Amino acid sequence: MIAEQTPEEVIERQKAAVYRLAYSRLQNREDAEDVLQEVFLRYIRNAPEFESPEHEHAWFIRVTVNCAKDQFKTYVRKNTASDDNGETLERFAERRDDGAPEFGALERALAELKPEAREIVHLYYYEGYRTAEIASVVGIGEGSVRSSLARSRRRIKKILEKEGVKIDSLPPFALKSLDY
């Protein structure tokens, strides 16, 4: 059991990971913020007890994935592709090109992946989940997770090469240990 903590402490600790995963899946700031809000409402409503920090983080990741899926269904039905300022992830990436063009190219490459593949890439590279953990979180087989990662790596490499970006020129934090 984790020691007694206030909801504010838990929310503060989890909000960045929840937002990043929601944004990774939805590519829309407003929708990601809606998911963030829904996840924390569920946390406050359900008041789950966590056995460990890992259990806490896994709960938030699972609920975020579910809420993002629901939000994505709404997104598809409404057919909206930009945030409240009309900015898509691709345009956002282009704006960021001024200081690190490779990073912008990587964001554009990630934006071209299907939402499910982006989610798996995010959980693996940015959240540090192992393939077995990802399989459990997203509800698919471990082999399917590995296949998705391999396809995503090839797709990202192809897109980056098309843009003239060398893999070794990516910033080190771009995709931690992305092997091509």
Side-chain angles (χ1 to χ4, degrees):
M1 236 22 196
I2 296 180
E4 216 33 56
Q5 28 188 356
T6 67
E8 292 82 9
E9 291 171 323
V10 174
I11 290 169
E12 187 62 33
R13 187 171 45 255
Q14 296 295 334
K15 72 180 180 184
V18 168
Y19 180 82
R20 283 191 313 265
L21 178 56
Y23 190 84
S24 171
R25 171 93 181 172
L26 300 168
Q27 298 185 13
N28 179 289
R29 184 179 59 213
E30 185 177 271
D31 289 342
E33 288 170 355
D34 288 347
V35 167
L36 178 79
Q37 200 170 39
E38 180 61 27
V39 168
F40 291 123
L41 283 173
R42 288 184 186 189
Y43 167 70
I44 290 169
R45 237 179 302 167
N46 297 332
E49 292 186 19
F50 303 113
E51 298 169 7
S52 66
E54 292 79 18
H55 181 224
E56 174 186 289
H57 190 66
W59 185 90
F60 278 98
I61 293 296
R62 181 75 227 153
V63 173
T64 302
V65 167
N66 289 337
C67 289
K69 283 180 182 178
D70 293 343
Q71 188 70 24
F72 186 72
K73 290 174 193 171
T74 301
Y75 167 84
V76 169
R77 279 194 303 269
K78 290 181 179 178
N79 196 25
T80 58
S82 62
D83 67 11
D84 52 355
N85 296 320
E87 182 174 29
T88 63
L89 180 61
E90 184 171 345
R91 279 186 249 145
F92 173 74
E94 288 169 1
R95 279 195 306 109
R96 300 212 22 212
D97 279 15
D98 57 346
E102 298 84 5
F103 189 71
L106 178 61
E107 284 183 334
R108 285 190 300 280
L110 288 169
E112 289 192 31
L113 298 176
K114 291 181 180 178
E116 297 81 7
R118 256 194 326 274
E119 179 177 65
I120 290 169
V121 167
H122 178 85
L123 290 171
Y124 187 80
Y125 289 105
Y126 294 97
E127 297 298 330
Y129 276 55
R130 295 185 311 268
T131 55
E133 294 169 317
I134 296 169
S136 174
V137 167
V138 299
I140 62 174
E142 192 174 347
S144 296
V145 170
R146 285 192 297 270
S147 295
S148 178
L149 285 169
R151 279 191 306 275
S152 295
R153 288 180 192 118
R154 286 191 301 270
R155 178 84 175 120
I156 290 167
K157 181 179 181 183
K158 184 178 178 181
I159 293 166
L160 292 176
E161 287 173 347
K162 185 178 175 183
E163 289 197 30
V165 175
K166 295 186 189 297
I167 302 304
D168 58 354
S169 69
L170 287 171
F173 59 85
L175 277 180
K176 311 171 191 170
S177 74
L178 184 58
D179 298 321
Y180 289 96

